[in-house]
Amino acid sequence: MERFNQSTESGKSPEPERQKIEALINASLAHGIKFDEGQNAIVLEVDPDDFADQELLSDSEKEQIMATDPFVSKVLRVFSAGHSQKEALSQIEAGKILAEQSDENLAKVPEIYFHSDIEIKDEVLRDKLAKAGVETAGSQVGVLLMYRVKGVDFLNYLLQEAIKKCPAQEAELHPNIGIAQRALARDPRAMSTEEVFKTAAALIGFEEDERVRLNPKNRDRLFTYLQKHDFVLNPEIIARAEKAINSLNQNGFYHNDLTERNMMLEFDPNGQMSDIYLIDFEKSGSERDQDFGGEMAILSQYKLLGEDRDVRQQKELMNFFGDLEKTKLRVKQARSEDYKRLEETARYMLRAKDERSMSLAEKNALVEADYLLGGKAYELLAGILIDLSLEQSEQVKKYIDQRIQSGDLSVRYQNYLSRVRSKIQ
Ligand SMILES: Nc1ncnc2c1ncn2[C@@H]1O[C@H](COP(=O)(O)OP(=O)(O)O)[C@@H](O)[C@H]1O
Ligand SMILES: [Mg+2]
């Protein structure tokens, strides 16, 4: 397939090639679609109609371009020659490694059709590029022409989900949300990534960050917001990315910049997610970037969003009871006599005839527990109640129900008791 001749070894294009690319950038820019903007590049949507009448392209080239579904030309802000070459080669290598895997449920890499550093000779075009935010220092820019993923990046997706999940009552406080919800329901590309980010930032309460990306604090906030609003992430997304990253690593290849904006989701015409793509191979190579926190860390975090509320609560409860058990064992071993006495006080409390004596006995038990393990009295007593429920579940249930009903418990102790109650059949 020869859409364009691939660039030469040095990454520099021969003259006719250069002119074609210049024409292509010009046409895309003229059309005015700044498709997206990352930290180092602008991404232009290339519409074949825009340059179909370009004289510089041969008929067969035009045909090939027309036959290719819209693709994205990524205009890099190039600082040194060979820059686009390195990124392109990394991306091609990653694509090859993934294509060789027998597992089909892996993230993919967009195919590259053309890559080169070119010199922009046309001054008007240089000006236009500068306005669009692309440095043309030394009049060089790097160009990558690649498959356009028909969807949005993972950050854009999560923010859209947050906007969609915002209930009507909450939306009333944010005048833009209703409009955004309607627009995005029609078309996930109805708003630019920047607009989506701004709208969601106001809703979620992001801390200031002028760039469209998630810093750790904002990531936590988005996370909490989505969990609170019962969003469940399709686990397939993370699983596919994780398997792809594993395969790459096993082949000595490291992406080194796997952020939310560098993963993309593709949807079929029915809006069903069909593919995951890894993009932006600028920092990739055969060495792991030690400064980058690790690709698995971010994926592991998102894995938690793939669990629905029941599973999450179940896990949380297991942790809770695990902690109680540890606290209890520690005291039991270190202060066995005192512990036994506390257990007796608790038994006495369960036998109490009326509410008043029950509440008094409870006070005594808590004082004793506090003496044993200051600051963790509630935990300790809750742990003991779990043990006692094995022999006298009815009494423990009765105690908890009565005490919760009385309404005079501290919020924290009541929380402990409700959880213990949920464990007793
Ligand atoms: N092949 C593509 N198809 C569709 N959108 C893309 C593609 N590549 C990049 N984008 C969009 O453009 C943004 C910036 O591209 P990226 O390659 O990450 O550049 P940068 O190096 O500036 O971060 C991405 O976060 C994504 O939203
Ligand atoms: Mg990027």
Side-chain angles (χ1 to χ4, degrees), residues 264-383:
M264 293 199 71
L265 307 180
E266 189 163 65
F267 300 92
D268 66 19
N270 300 324
Q272 291 298 312
M273 196 191 66
S274 50
D275 276 306
I276 324 283
Y277 282 83
L278 308 181
I279 59 164
D280 197 349
F281 290 81
E282 207 191 326
K283 302 200 173 99
S284 309
S286 57
E287 307 239 341
R288 189 193 285 278
D289 178 358
Q290 301 297 348
D291 291 340
F292 181 64
E295 353 209 70
M296 286 310 174
I298 193 170
L299 292 179
S300 306
Q301 188 173 359
Y302 280 109
K303 228 187 235 173
L304 297 175
L305 271 184
E307 291 167 346
D308 64 21
R309 187 143 69 167
D310 286 352
V311 178
R312 269 199 319 258
Q313 280 179 347
Q314 208 58 39
K315 270 199 179 162
E316 207 199 326
L317 266 185
M318 297 229 314
N319 285 340
F320 170 79
F321 289 120
D323 288 348
L324 286 193
E325 194 62 24
K326 274 189 226 144
T327 306
K328 204 176 65 194
L329 276 179
R330 219 170 56 217
V331 178
K332 212 171 176 174
Q333 279 166 3
R335 316 259 301 261
S336 67
E337 285 306 309
D338 293 333
Y339 182 85
K340 264 188 212 140
R341 195 169 322 120
L342 175 59
E343 222 173 29
E344 276 317 306
T345 312
R347 275 183 220 278
Y348 179 77
M349 171 181 90
L350 294 179
R351 283 198 304 270
K353 290 275 178 301
D354 53 55
E355 251 192 82
R356 216 181 86 84
S357 43
M358 185 176 271
S359 134
L360 264 176
E362 179 186 83
K363 259 197 197 100
N364 285 338
L366 286 171
V367 168
E368 267 184 53
D370 192 56
Y371 162 74
L372 265 175
L373 202 63
K376 286 206 168 181
Y378 296 150
E379 282 95 320
L380 192 52
L381 194 53

Side-chain angles (χ1 to χ4, degrees), residues 192-228:
S192 74
T193 309
E194 280 89 344
E195 283 171 329
V196 171
F197 188 81
K198 273 206 196 108
T199 310
L203 177 66
I204 299 163
F206 282 168
E207 98 182 343
E208 285 290 320
D209 192 347
E210 70 283 8
R211 286 199 303 198
V212 181
R213 52 150 208 184
L214 286 182
N215 63 32
K217 267 218 184 104
N218 290 341
R219 181 175 294 129
D220 283 349
R221 288 187 184 168
L222 172 60
F223 221 84
T224 311
Y225 187 90
L226 288 169
Q227 281 194 334
K228 208 170 103 192

Side-chain angles (χ1 to χ4, degrees), residues 35-43 72 74 76 87 110 146-153 189 193 261-262 264 279-280 282:
F35 188 70
D36 220 320
E37 186 172 13
Q39 281 167 37
N40 304 296
I42 61 164
V43 177
V72 160
K74 183 177 169 197
L76 291 175
E87 178 169 340
M146 68 174 132
Y147 173 76
R148 174 194 158 188
V149 181
K150 292 165 208 72
V152 293
D153 60 62
R189 274 267 163 208
T193 309
R261 289 218 64 195
N262 290 339
M264 293 199 71
I279 59 164
D280 197 349
E282 207 191 326

